[in-house]
Amino acid sequence: MISKTSLKSLVMGTALALGLSSFAQADSASASIWDDVRKSGELRCGAAVIPPYVSLDPAKKEYGGFFSELCKEFAETVLNVKPVFVDTTWDNIVAGLQSNKWDLAMALNQTPTRALAVSFSEPVVDYEISFAYNAKNPKLEGAGNNLTDYDKEGITFVVISGTAMDKSLTAAVKHGTIMRLSGVDETRLAVMSRRGDVLVDTSDSNRLFGMKNKDWVTLVTPEPALSKQGISFGLSRNASYADIEVLNIFLREKKALGHVEALVNKASEEFLSLE
């Protein structure tokens, strides 16, 4: 005959087991964002332009850049779905990920603030901020590589609004003016037309800008560095460790085989070939 104490322990144990089983089943049912992607047949990639990471051919309305290529390959070779690129801006790319407007956000800088809102893959490439300016700009004559050479009254920094560069620049600049514009083309035109003095962008993007305008662009990497971060794919905070690891394993192999480096070189060459 079972005692009251033993019976109570048995009931509690059974309830606990059933509860854990229900929890495991619920967790299993919602564990993988890739299951949802495969059911939909599409991998939605949030795309804000910043060559060579993400570029857009306005005539063909086709996305390029090495993050776009990796998004295509991950969709087609791993998930067996169609890649779909969703236009966005840097001001909205994180919010769109949070509201499920896309499954992956391309070319996101890893920052602690963003990590509070989204998850990250491991870095695809590393980056740091650089400056590009007109060598004939009299306001910058004799400028070196320290931020204090540029952070002066009358100097206007130009940056893409909402980017990691914007956040780093805002924290660092004390005396100069910051002009925030919506995209890559707008920021570059501002410096080319001399509405702004210093273009603040990733070192990779500014390097290509300098190569296309060798006759007048000066490139500077400030010391101490304004920022050094990894550039990754962004995922929903709901992404599990297993979800993120699927993407990370894909990226590790591509990097180890030299495929990412080849895509970077290809994207750079394609950008430089554009008129």
Side-chain angles (χ1 to χ4, degrees), residues 251-265:
L251 293 174
R252 288 182 200 124
E253 180 182 24
K254 296 300 179 183
K255 289 191 288 186
L257 296 176
H259 185 63
V260 169
E261 183 179 0
L263 289 178
V264 172
N265 293 335

Side-chain angles (χ1 to χ4, degrees), residues 157-190:
F157 296 90
V158 186
V159 68
I160 303 171
S161 177
T163 57
M165 292 83 73
D166 183 4
K167 303 296 190 298
S168 297
L169 189 68
T170 299
V173 168
K174 306 302 180 186
H175 306 290
T177 300
I178 300 176
M179 180 188 295
R180 297 176 178 86
L181 299 173
S182 61
V184 172
D185 292 339
E186 291 81 0
T187 57
R188 290 174 176 177
L189 285 171

Side-chain angles (χ1 to χ4, degrees), residues 7-273:
L7 181 61
K8 183 177 180 181
S9 298
L10 178 62
V11 170
M12 290 179 64
T14 302
L16 178 61
L18 289 171
L20 290 173
S21 176
S22 298
F23 176 80
Q25 288 174 4
D27 186 60
S28 175
S30 60
S32 177
I33 60 172
W34 306 133
D35 285 346
D36 293 335
V37 167
R38 284 184 286 191
K39 287 176 184 176
S40 72
E42 295 180 344
L43 176 67
R44 300 166 300 164
C45 306
V49 172
I50 185 164
Y53 311 98
V54 181
S55 59
L56 177 62
D57 185 328
K60 298 180 180 178
K61 295 184 179 180
E62 293 179 353
Y63 276 97
F66 64 89
F67 264 88
S68 302
E69 292 300 322
L70 287 170
C71 214
K72 290 178 187 176
E73 292 178 7
F74 183 66
E76 294 171 348
T77 67
V78 178
L79 302 178
N80 296 314
V81 297
K82 176 184 177 182
V84 175
F85 295 96
V86 186
D87 300 338
T88 187
T89 65
W90 289 107
D91 280 319
N92 297 320
I93 195 165
V94 170
L97 196 57
Q98 292 176 301
S99 59
N100 196 36
K101 290 183 178 179
W102 38 83
D103 307 299
L104 290 178
M106 297 191 292
L108 273 191
N109 291 66
Q110 291 186 336
T111 69
T113 302
R114 280 179 172 167
L116 292 172
V118 301
S119 298
F120 291 103
S121 72
E122 66 178 39
V124 178
V125 292
D126 296 322
Y127 110 113
E128 62 183 316
I129 289 174
S130 72
F131 295 161
Y133 65 90
N134 192 322
K136 298 178 182 178
N137 187 336
K139 291 190 284 185
L140 297 172
E141 185 177 357
N145 62 356
N146 195 286
L147 177 63
T148 57
D149 295 331
Y150 304 87
D151 186 15
K152 300 175 181 178
E153 291 186 12
I155 300 295
T156 299
F157 296 90
V158 186
V159 68
I160 303 171
S161 177
T163 57
M165 292 83 73
D166 183 4
K167 303 296 190 298
S168 297
L169 189 68
T170 299
V173 168
K174 306 302 180 186
H175 306 290
T177 300
I178 300 176
M179 180 188 295
R180 297 176 178 86
L181 299 173
S182 61
V184 172
D185 292 339
E186 291 81 0
T187 57
R188 290 174 176 177
L189 285 171
V191 173
M192 293 170 75
S193 64
R194 302 199 183 190
R195 289 192 300 120
D197 300 301
V198 182
L199 175 61
V200 182
D201 210 331
T202 70
S203 55
D204 288 329
S205 189
N206 268 345
R207 177 177 59 84
L208 295 181
F209 180 57
M211 292 174 70
K212 292 196 75 168
N213 300 279
K214 294 178 182 179
D215 55 330
W216 62 272
V217 168
T218 294
L219 298 175
V220 171
T221 302
E223 294 182 7
L226 287 184
S227 181
K228 287 189 176 183
Q229 299 162 345
I231 302 184
S232 306
F233 282 100
L235 302 90
S236 165
R237 287 283 288 177
N238 294 328
S240 66
Y241 171 81
D243 289 327
I244 299 170
E245 195 63 7
V246 171
L247 181 55
N248 282 343
I249 291 170
F250 166 80
L251 293 174
R252 288 182 200 124
E253 180 182 24
K254 296 300 179 183
K255 289 191 288 186
L257 296 176
H259 185 63
V260 169
E261 183 179 0
L263 289 178
V264 172
N265 293 335
K266 177 186 174 185
S268 300
E269 291 170 3
E270 287 177 347
F271 176 78
L272 291 172
S273 68

